[in-house]
Amino acid sequence: MNLSVGMINKIVDYIAFHALTQPQKVALICHGEKLTYMELYDEIKSYALRFSQQGIVKGQTYLFKFHADRSCIVTYFALHQIGAIAVPLEKSLPNEKIGELESRISKHGPFIINDVADILFTTGTTGVSKGVIISHDTILADAENLADAQGFTSETVFLICGPLNHIGSLSKMYPTFMMGGTVIIIDGIKNLDNFYEALDYPSYKLATFLVPSSIRMLLLFSKDRLVEYKDKIDFIETGAAAISHSDMLALCKILPNTRIYNTYASTETGIISTYNFNDGNCVPGCLGRPMKNSGISITEKGNIACSGRTLMSGYVDMDLDKSVIKDNVLVTSDLGYLDEEGMLHLTGREDDVINVGGLKVEPSEVEDVVMAFPGIKDCICIAVPHSITDNTLKLLVVFEKGVVLDKKRMARFIATKLESYKVPLLYEQVDSIKRTFNGKLDRKAFRTQKREL
């Protein structure tokens, strides 16, 4: 087989290239098992042959639960190898739900876009889960964006500990394999010993992706242990949800020599921009400049609009396209602005804004302030009906063990940071706050609150 970089059209082609040029380099470590690039590509070819023998052809969709194991990773790239369309699903998804998704895909009809690689279903926190169609060119563009902006190299050892059916984790395999680095897979970070054992890998070019809720867990329960890796971790990326400024500052203090990126991305837009907030300024809400394959503009209403090669090809339910994509520009529900240096700043989401007596409140602004309150583990600011102002703010808080909510003290603390109309009227201490599997606050679950006043 004679393969050159000029012949590469998919990430799996890079794996094939490295199997030829550096066959004994470790490509993948999963549950302690190591696969070299040669071994990984041999398994991909074996699975691809098996799929072909089963009658799976180019353009055909293949749904599978994406567990954090070697077989699923090989399955994913084997489908790409034969030109089939991978539909990776959340590992705990009920079988009945899989049948529903298969039915939705079948109604789409033949996939006329020859370059389709994946269909990724979103979490659906603001409505019905959407099937996002992703092309191979989009995947390559995402990989180039990250490799260029965050400095992936052949020495990069990237630890993936999130759900593998989500762009947050999938997109980290792309630049690592593109550059010939090493991917380590673990099944979440609830078991902190597994996380730190992975960081013990003999490399000083370690990197990982952590959603803000995982960062908070590390800061609360293993700050002293994380400090021990300050000279080993090359960079950390966070995203998928807003990270509080207090956590940003705490992480920078613990890891002074680590690049820590806050990235703007979504399944629909791809990987758009990133900002190393461990730059000495630690600007809250900043998401950096657009990467090489992406563009950003702000609409008259303040919505973030994205363009470039990283955009999705469409939705499985194609009629949804009309509301978000016009002239190859995707208008998001995110609100933000570009500063004089062209840096993107996120201010909230259009559908999250709470109207209190005619005044608009972005709940994430309240939550960011509250996360700096002593003893706080988690919180969410929600709207509940009010007989006079129509809506009022309610704060749900989770404290560390042994800490009890003092409502008046909490309200006074918030009032020192925000305008009076942004100070919640109601407070409740709860055991936990519902989040989606990728760490976002599940705001949809709290929009059914009964009238309280």
Side-chain angles (χ1 to χ4, degrees), residues 216-233:
R216 169 140 286 260
M217 186 172 78
L218 292 174
L219 291 173
L220 284 173
F221 300 116
S222 65
K223 189 186 329 185
D224 293 341
R225 197 169 177 184
L226 186 60
V227 171
E228 297 174 11
Y229 295 85
K230 63 183 178 65
D231 295 321
K232 286 195 70 176
I233 302 175

Side-chain angles (χ1 to χ4, degrees), residues 48 56 65 73 92 120 144 152 159 161 165 168 171 233 249 274 277 315 323 331 347 363 385-386 396 398 417:
I56 298 170
K65 294 182 182 181
I73 292 167
S92 63
L120 302 180
E144 291 170 5
F152 282 73
L159 170 58
C161 47
N165 63 301
S171 64
I233 302 175
L249 291 168
T274 198
F277 60 80
Y315 287 115
S323 63
V331 178
T347 57
H386 190 281
L396 305 179
V398 180
K417 310 287 184 182

Side-chain angles (χ1 to χ4, degrees), residues 203-313:
S203 170
Y204 287 88
K205 291 291 184 180
L206 290 167
T208 191
F209 173 84
L210 297 168
V211 296
S213 58
S214 294
I215 290 173
R216 169 140 286 260
M217 186 172 78
L218 292 174
L219 291 173
L220 284 173
F221 300 116
S222 65
K223 189 186 329 185
D224 293 341
R225 197 169 177 184
L226 186 60
V227 171
E228 297 174 11
Y229 295 85
K230 63 183 178 65
D231 295 321
K232 286 195 70 176
I233 302 175
D234 186 26
F235 66 92
I236 294 174
E237 184 189 45
T238 189
I243 181 171
S244 71
H245 193 225
S246 58
D247 284 352
M248 291 169 68
L249 291 168
L251 197 59
C252 291
K253 184 177 181 180
I254 291 171
L255 304 173
N257 301 316
T258 298
R259 288 172 283 124
I260 311 175
Y261 293 102
N262 196 13
T263 296
Y264 183 68
S266 71
T267 313
E268 288 93 339
T269 64
I271 315 298
I272 298 295
S273 66
T274 198
Y275 164 62
N276 173 21
F277 60 80
N278 203 1
D279 63 350
N281 297 312
C282 197
V283 181
C286 184
L287 293 154
R289 297 180 182 84
M291 302 182 191
K292 63 184 291 186
N293 293 314
S294 304
I296 299 172
S297 59
I298 306 298
T299 70
E300 291 182 1
K301 294 182 178 180
N303 295 76
I304 298 170
C306 303
S307 58
R309 285 174 55 202
T310 64
L311 299 186
M312 68 175 182
S313 299

